[in-house]
Amino acid sequence: MKRTRIKELFRQKELFSEKSVTVCAWVRTNRSQAQFGFLNINDGSFFENLQVVYDTNLENFDEVSKYRVGSSVCVEGVVVLTPEMKQPLELHAKKVTLLGDCPENYPIQPKRHTREFLREVAHLRPRTNLFSAIFRIRSVAANAIHTYFQDRGYVYVHTPLITCADCEGSDQMFKITTLNLNKLPLAKDGKVDYSKDLFGKQAFITGSGQLQGETFAMAFGDIYTFGPTFRTENSNTKTHANEFWMIEPEMAFCDLEGLMDIEEEMLKFVVKYVLDKCPEEIDFCDKFVEKGLKEKITSLLESKFTRIKHHDVIDILKKANVKWEFEPNYGEDIAKEHEKYITEYFNGPVFITDWPKDIKAYYMKLNDDNETVAAVDLVVPQAGELMGGSQREENLEKLMARMDALGVDKEGIDWYLDTRRYGGCVHSGFGMGFERLIMYLTGIENIRDVIPYPRTPKNCEF
Amino acid sequence: MKRTRIKELFRQKELFSEKSVTVCAWVRTNRSQAQFGFLNINDGSFFENLQVVYDTNLENFDEVSKYRVGSSVCVEGVVVLTPEMKQPLELHAKKVTLLGDCPENYPIQPKRHTREFLREVAHLRPRTNLFSAIFRIRSVAANAIHTYFQDRGYVYVHTPLITCADCEGSDQMFKITTLNLNKLPLAKDGKVDYSKDLFGKQAFITGSGQLQGETFAMAFGDIYTFGPTFRTENSNTKTHANEFWMIEPEMAFCDLEGLMDIEEEMLKFVVKYVLDKCPEEIDFCDKFVEKGLKEKITSLLESKFTRIKHHDVIDILKKANVKWEFEPNYGEDIAKEHEKYITEYFNGPVFITDWPKDIKAYYMKLNDDNETVAAVDLVVPQAGELMGGSQREENLEKLMARMDALGVDKEGIDWYLDTRRYGGCVHSGFGMGFERLIMYLTGIENIRDVIPYPRTPKNCEF
């Protein structure tokens, strides 16, 4: 038996007109009359359902008319194009077989479910239209990112998740161990004896692969990472999760301007790719998640992103006739309300550059003013900060001085400093939270709804 | 300044003939005479070096002739095709600028280094020919896998790494925690009080996304995962690492034969993709890592993989005139020596199917004989087992009986059982260790040499 995917039928319908095909799929609805009935089935290959028409010519008509929502079925039939109807084609059944039954108490009935309820059945929610759209967009966007970088010769690097380098501040990292926590071996000082642990010292799972990524950029020129990342933040907001995916490209011989060029080009590439491959999903999100979504992301393709210094952003915010919750300040980060104002002010994405050094990381390049660093945040309408990056400090002395000033342990990452010792060069990189991108592309406001099985404080089900 | 990548020069050399270009790269060698010299430079975009010819017309000729190995430089010059020479083109320098110096004690000198030594400078080893080849093949092979599945409509699913489901046996999983191990909160029974931990219960990082993957296959039909995986095995062998990447596809409406078709097609696709995109790297590995590598993987493309039952494999092994270290047995796993014999016997990859149920996992479909399961291992010449998969037990009663027999906790993964309750169907999946694939594609025998920063017992550097 050769099985035909529903996507093939929709995308190449002329090819299948009047042809016999076999489709295996799940029942989304079943409406039966005395003499005939309609099964709407979906096999997951395509966003839209396939309508199956069946009638009393089926020897098992009575049973078929009772097939329940959620059941899996196999349908042999003839494809009939229906250009005058809402759906462009339907399948006239010659044989319908039940593969797997589904009881009455199936939680995913053809009605509106709240997203809160669907989080409780996260293993079933991809069977709904909304999550079918979200997770297909997630998959296609992931491939868009790989395609963008691979087509341009970037090397995809699997930086390690397990690390013993405590440089990011272990407070923000999960500790991992193979020791029995109820019988921890103790050293003479009464503290845990990590020499007995698998790696012989305390280990963590990491929040970033940037430092290792930089070492590979010094060999391959252009590299990117794309993998899971962990944060221990005990914060129950719509935008925080303890496990998420991140993309971290790193480019040798690239300065801040070059970095912004890449960020802008990549984002446009991904948006276009998703629009091309997932038109049905985007239309659905536009209709049911965020009105105007399609217009928002389509217009991004044509827009030239604004590039403006942090100092000048603060100027604009201070002049604005707005009662701020947080007063804008030259030496400080900008708040969500400021991001919103500034993207509306420029009516599109904005690169904010040259941030006060005191609120940014040690590895960012110190500008000649000695006060700001060559960092850039990309903020976009609705979603806020989408990417954060910087030119890296390539000067070893300046880098070490910043590490000293900020109390960063140099010994543990002496290997990282080698990137500045041995043929160092101007280089830049950025990080993009993948879930943030998916929220931007779908209009979904809660990170729990763009991750297959989200992990948040007190929540690690499935 | 527009920078040209060395790969562009080599791949489109006619286009650049007699043109002026600017190349930024690192010095691999520098041979200078009184009146002229040769810089071999590499920018990481391409496996081969670009030869730069410079002479006393350069105003800084004396300095350039002293540029050391490992330095980063910027060269402006004219591309000259040299079809009569070993290298197809060279760059006649008009201007050479030092970007970043490199001291004499740079560990990566143009001589042979042992792989053991290079593991100690894992942050520098991608600058060598060997690791440049390996890690570019790794990147391209990763993209081949994404391309194969995405082109066929599979949905890429990011299954969670953090899990509280203890179903795999927590002995094999790293425990993760945000608790202070030197001040663990204790419950009344004197044991660790995990209710104080971030997730409110004990958490792990997982060794497989299969179960969650199956839930998504029941919605999207065809899905795959590709992400890092963790094992706590305290085993220092050439093929074990505590962190590695794995691909786990899962297909609804697919039986064991269909599964093997996919495995075979995917492997051939990946091999062809890597041969097409990395000819220089494969040639290098063929020459310096595994003689005959190219012939091995090229002939795979033409071969039809053998499909044979475990029982019949044992028959062949028993009849073989070989003194085995491990005697082949119908009820047991097959050893490395057996895998080797059987791939040589059939002179190519072999699918071994229908394994004794007692040595396989509970979720594999029980065959009608009640003794074997519809499992399949793919073994390939040299590398041994490359993929392991099975048709899944779709019958809820049989699945639960197997879980009971093997003492698997049903309550913790009741959600998994829902895949059999609600519209279950015949489905199959497999897992492929990505490093195993890279070892097969490069001929490298030690897993430490195909992972950017390997994690093995007592070894978690960088």
Side-chain angles (χ1 to χ4, degrees):
Chain A
M1 172 206 82
K2 164 133 174 48
R3 170 164 95 86
T4 302
R5 303 290 195 284
I6 291 176
K7 182 176 184 177
E8 297 173 71
L9 297 181
F10 274 79
R11 286 274 189 262
Q12 304 171 276
K13 48 184 177 291
E14 282 75 18
L15 214 66
F16 286 100
S17 178
E18 305 303 324
K19 293 279 193 320
S20 284
V21 298
T22 301
V23 175
C24 297
W26 292 275
V27 175
R28 287 286 182 90
T29 63
N30 187 4
R31 292 169 294 134
S32 64
Q33 311 277 341
Q35 301 295 318
F36 61 92
F38 301 97
L39 281 172
N40 265 291
I41 63 174
N42 192 295
D43 66 359
S45 70
F46 193 59
F47 182 72
E48 308 281 354
N49 299 326
L50 173 65
Q51 174 153 293
V52 176
V53 185
Y54 61 92
D55 59 30
T56 47
N57 286 322
L58 291 184
E59 57 180 33
N60 60 344
F61 175 81
D62 287 345
E63 289 100 86
V64 174
S65 65
K66 290 184 199 108
Y67 286 174
R68 283 185 292 235
V69 172
S71 305
S72 59
V73 295
C74 185
V75 182
E76 296 174 45
V78 174
V79 177
V80 178
L81 302 194
T82 53
E84 73 289 354
M85 311 284 277
K86 203 178 122 215
Q87 68 280 1
L89 57 88
E90 57 189 25
L91 188 60
H92 289 194
K94 288 186 293 189
K95 188 177 173 190
V96 182
T97 318
L98 184 69
L99 300 176
D101 190 17
C102 190
E104 292 284 359
N105 65 357
Y106 179 51
I108 307 294
Q109 293 298 323
K111 60 162 196 171
R112 202 184 165 279
H113 299 284
T114 67
R115 291 183 205 165
E116 289 73 20
F117 166 73
L118 290 170
R119 277 175 218 147
E120 290 168 21
V121 289
H123 61 308
L124 301 174
R125 66 180 179 170
R127 304 178 185 199
T128 65
N129 283 331
L130 176 62
F131 288 94
S132 165
I134 293 168
F135 291 126
R136 200 186 320 274
I137 288 172
R138 186 177 169 113
S139 169
V140 167
N143 199 45
I145 287 163
H146 282 296
T147 303
Y148 175 83
F149 287 114
Q150 295 264 352
D151 284 356
R152 285 155 188 78
Y154 286 62
V155 169
Y156 178 33
V157 182
H158 289 145
T159 50
L161 281 289
I162 298 175
T163 178
C164 291
D166 191 3
C167 52
E168 287 171 76
S170 55
D171 291 352
Q172 289 170 43
M173 291 196 283
F174 285 97
K175 306 162 187 98
I176 69 166
T177 183
T178 59
L179 298 173
N180 180 343
L181 270 69
N182 282 310
K183 259 170 79 176
L184 287 171
L186 300 183
K188 281 184 185 153
D189 63 0
K191 297 204 164 177
V192 176
D193 181 5
Y194 288 109
S195 74
K196 302 282 198 309
D197 210 342
L198 187 70
F199 297 113
K201 48 187 170 177
Q202 190 170 22
F204 307 90
I205 43 177
T206 190
S208 168
Q210 179 196 318
L211 302 192
Q212 291 94 346
E214 281 188 49
T215 65
F216 270 61
M218 291 300 116
F220 290 108
D222 302 310
I223 68 100
Y224 71 108
T225 72
F226 189 172
T229 314
F230 306 91
R231 296 276 160 84
T232 56
E233 232 162 334
N234 193 346
S235 139
N236 259 308
T237 76
K238 285 202 252 180
T239 52
H240 285 92
N242 297 114
E243 176 178 333
F244 55 96
W245 283 62
M246 196 147 76
I247 297 101
E248 295 185 288
E250 201 70 38
M251 287 74 63
F253 312 115
C254 175
D255 63 11
L256 193 68
E257 288 295 318
L259 182 71
M260 288 188 275
D261 293 343
I262 293 164
E263 289 186 27
E264 181 168 344
E265 187 186 63
M266 186 205 70
L267 182 57
K268 288 177 176 174
F269 180 92
V270 172
V271 166
K272 178 148 191 352
Y273 192 95
V274 170
L275 278 168
D276 287 349
K277 302 256 178 182
C278 301
E280 291 82 7
E281 287 83 355
I282 293 293
D283 281 344
F284 180 86
C285 291
D286 185 75
K287 204 165 167 188
F288 294 107
V289 182
E290 178 187 336
K291 303 267 179 243
L293 170 75
K294 192 172 176 178
E295 161 64 18
K296 174 186 85 177
I297 62 175
T298 308
S299 70
L300 175 122
L301 294 179
E302 304 303 322
S303 69
K304 174 81 188 132
F305 296 6
T306 303
R307 300 181 181 193
I308 181 173
K309 288 178 199 289
H310 176 269
H311 186 279
D312 301 335
V313 167
I314 302 293
D315 276 346
I316 292 171
L317 295 172
K318 279 187 177 292
K319 278 181 205 149
N321 189 17
V322 178
K323 182 102 190 93
W324 301 113
E325 193 186 338
F326 300 96
E327 203 52 42
N329 193 314
Y330 292 105
E332 288 174 17
D333 207 349
I334 67 170
K336 280 211 183 310
E337 57 181 334
H338 306 150
E339 290 176 352
K340 186 166 183 300
Y341 182 87
I342 211 74
T343 54
E344 282 165 8
Y345 184 93
F346 288 110
N347 192 28
V350 180
F351 284 115
I352 305 175
T353 66
D354 301 287
W355 290 69
K357 69 176 179 189
D358 293 336
I359 60 168
K360 289 287 183 184
Y362 67 87
Y363 47 71
M364 298 184 171
K365 184 172 179 61
L366 192 62
N367 286 328
D368 290 339
D369 62 14
N370 259 317
E371 290 301 325
T372 60
V373 287
V376 58
D377 281 4
L378 174 64
V379 295
V380 295
Q382 279 93 15
E385 189 196 328
L386 189 60
M387 307 181 203
S390 76
Q391 190 172 326
R392 312 310 189 189
E393 182 59 77
E394 81 273 16
N395 181 295
L396 182 62
E397 281 67 42
K398 287 187 189 173
L399 179 63
M400 293 204 293
R402 288 287 293 152
M403 292 174 84
D404 287 338
L406 292 165
V408 179
D409 167 43
K410 292 203 298 286
E411 261 182 50
I413 50 171
D414 193 56
W415 52 271
Y416 173 65
L417 300 179
D418 279 352
T419 52
R420 277 65 171 176
R421 289 187 184 111
Y422 303 132
C425 66
V426 168
H427 66 290
S428 300
F430 68 94
M432 177 173 70
F434 185 54
E435 282 73 17
R436 195 62 71 91
L437 174 70
I438 304 306
M439 291 163 79
Y440 177 70
L441 290 173
T442 57
I444 291 288
E445 289 184 330
N446 195 313
I447 196 169
R448 291 166 183 78
D449 295 330
V450 298
I451 301 180
Y453 292 100
R455 272 71 177 100
T456 52
K458 302 289 173 211
N459 173 40
C460 183
E461 303 306 312
F462 306 100
Chain B
M1 171 205 84
K2 165 136 175 43
R3 170 163 97 86
T4 301
R5 303 292 195 280
I6 291 176
K7 180 176 184 177
E8 297 173 70
L9 297 181
F10 274 80
R11 286 276 187 261
Q12 304 171 278
K13 48 183 175 292
E14 282 75 18
L15 214 65
F16 286 99
S17 177
E18 306 301 327
K19 293 278 194 321
S20 284
V21 298
T22 301
V23 175
C24 296
W26 291 275
V27 175
R28 288 286 182 88
T29 62
N30 188 4
R31 291 170 293 135
S32 62
Q33 313 276 342
Q35 301 295 317
F36 61 93
F38 301 97
L39 281 171
N40 266 291
I41 62 174
N42 192 296
D43 66 0
S45 69
F46 194 59
F47 182 73
E48 308 281 354
N49 299 328
L50 174 65
Q51 173 152 294
V52 176
V53 185
Y54 61 92
D55 60 30
T56 48
N57 286 321
L58 291 185
E59 59 181 32
N60 59 345
F61 174 83
D62 287 346
E63 290 99 86
V64 173
S65 64
K66 291 183 200 111
Y67 286 173
R68 284 184 291 235
V69 172
S71 306
S72 58
V73 294
C74 184
V75 182
E76 296 174 46
V78 174
V79 177
V80 177
L81 302 193
T82 52
E84 72 287 358
M85 310 285 277
K86 201 179 123 217
Q87 68 280 0
L89 56 90
E90 57 190 25
L91 187 60
H92 289 195
K94 288 186 293 189
K95 188 176 171 189
V96 182
T97 318
L98 183 69
L99 300 176
D101 190 18
C102 190
E104 292 284 359
N105 65 356
Y106 179 52
I108 308 293
Q109 294 297 325
K111 60 163 196 171
R112 204 184 163 281
H113 299 285
T114 67
R115 292 185 204 165
E116 289 73 19
F117 166 73
L118 290 170
R119 277 175 219 147
E120 290 169 24
V121 288
H123 61 307
L124 301 175
R125 67 180 178 169
R127 305 178 184 199
T128 65
N129 283 332
L130 176 63
F131 288 94
S132 165
I134 293 169
F135 291 126
R136 201 188 319 275
I137 288 173
R138 185 176 169 114
S139 169
V140 168
N143 199 45
I145 287 164
H146 281 297
T147 303
Y148 175 82
F149 288 114
Q150 295 265 349
D151 284 356
R152 285 154 188 77
Y154 286 63
V155 170
Y156 177 33
V157 182
H158 289 144
T159 49
L161 281 289
I162 299 175
T163 178
C164 291
D166 190 4
C167 52
E168 286 170 77
S170 56
D171 290 353
Q172 289 171 44
M173 290 196 282
F174 285 97
K175 305 163 187 98
I176 69 166
T177 184
T178 59
L179 298 173
N180 180 341
L181 270 69
N182 283 310
K183 258 170 80 177
L184 286 171
L186 300 182
K188 280 183 184 151
D189 63 0
K191 296 204 164 176
V192 176
D193 181 5
Y194 288 110
S195 73
K196 301 283 198 307
D197 212 342
L198 188 70
F199 297 114
K201 47 188 172 177
Q202 191 170 19
F204 307 90
I205 43 176
T206 188
S208 168
Q210 180 196 318
L211 303 192
Q212 292 93 345
E214 282 189 47
T215 67
F216 270 62
M218 292 299 117
F220 290 108
D222 301 311
I223 68 99
Y224 70 108
T225 71
F226 190 173
T229 314
F230 307 91
R231 296 275 161 83
T232 56
E233 234 162 334
N234 193 347
S235 141
N236 259 310
T237 77
K238 284 202 251 181
T239 52
H240 285 94
N242 297 113
E243 175 178 333
F244 56 97
W245 283 62
M246 194 149 75
I247 297 101
E248 296 185 289
E250 201 70 38
M251 288 73 64
F253 312 114
C254 175
D255 63 11
L256 192 69
E257 287 296 318
L259 182 71
M260 288 187 277
D261 293 343
I262 294 165
E263 289 185 28
E264 180 168 343
E265 187 186 64
M266 186 205 70
L267 181 57
K268 288 177 175 174
F269 180 91
V270 172
V271 166
K272 178 147 190 352
Y273 192 96
V274 170
L275 277 168
D276 286 348
K277 303 255 179 184
C278 300
E280 290 82 7
E281 287 84 354
I282 293 293
D283 281 343
F284 180 86
C285 291
D286 185 77
K287 204 164 166 188
F288 294 107
V289 183
E290 179 188 335
K291 303 265 180 246
L293 170 75
K294 192 172 178 177
E295 161 65 18
K296 174 186 87 176
I297 63 175
T298 306
S299 70
L300 175 121
L301 295 179
E302 304 303 321
S303 69
K304 173 81 188 132
F305 297 6
T306 304
R307 299 181 182 195
I308 180 172
K309 287 177 199 289
H310 176 268
H311 186 280
D312 300 335
V313 167
I314 302 294
D315 275 347
I316 292 171
L317 296 173
K318 280 185 176 297
K319 279 179 204 150
N321 187 19
V322 177
K323 182 106 189 90
W324 299 113
E325 192 186 342
F326 299 96
E327 203 52 42
N329 194 314
Y330 292 105
E332 286 174 18
D333 206 351
I334 67 170
K336 281 211 184 305
E337 58 180 333
H338 307 149
E339 289 175 353
K340 185 166 184 300
Y341 182 86
I342 210 74
T343 54
E344 282 165 8
Y345 183 93
F346 289 109
N347 192 28
V350 181
F351 285 115
I352 304 175
T353 67
D354 301 289
W355 290 69
K357 68 176 180 189
D358 292 337
I359 61 169
K360 288 288 183 184
Y362 67 88
Y363 47 71
M364 297 183 171
K365 186 174 178 60
L366 192 62
N367 286 328
D368 290 340
D369 62 13
N370 260 318
E371 289 300 326
T372 60
V373 287
V376 58
D377 282 2
L378 174 64
V379 295
V380 295
Q382 278 93 13
E385 189 196 330
L386 191 59
M387 308 181 205
S390 77
Q391 190 171 324
R392 311 310 190 191
E393 181 58 78
E394 82 272 16
N395 182 295
L396 183 62
E397 281 67 42
K398 288 187 188 171
L399 179 63
M400 293 203 295
R402 288 287 292 152
M403 293 173 84
D404 287 339
L406 292 166
V408 179
D409 167 42
K410 291 203 298 288
E411 262 182 51
I413 51 169
D414 193 56
W415 52 270
Y416 174 64
L417 300 179
D418 279 352
T419 52
R420 276 65 171 176
R421 290 188 184 112
Y422 302 133
C425 67
V426 168
H427 66 290
S428 300
F430 68 94
M432 177 173 72
F434 185 55
E435 282 73 17
R436 194 63 71 90
L437 174 71
I438 305 306
M439 290 163 79
Y440 177 71
L441 290 173
T442 58
I444 292 287
E445 289 184 331
N446 195 313
I447 195 168
R448 291 165 183 77
D449 295 330
V450 297
I451 301 181
Y453 293 99
R455 271 71 178 101
T456 52
K458 302 287 173 214
N459 173 39
C460 183
E461 302 306 311
F462 306 100

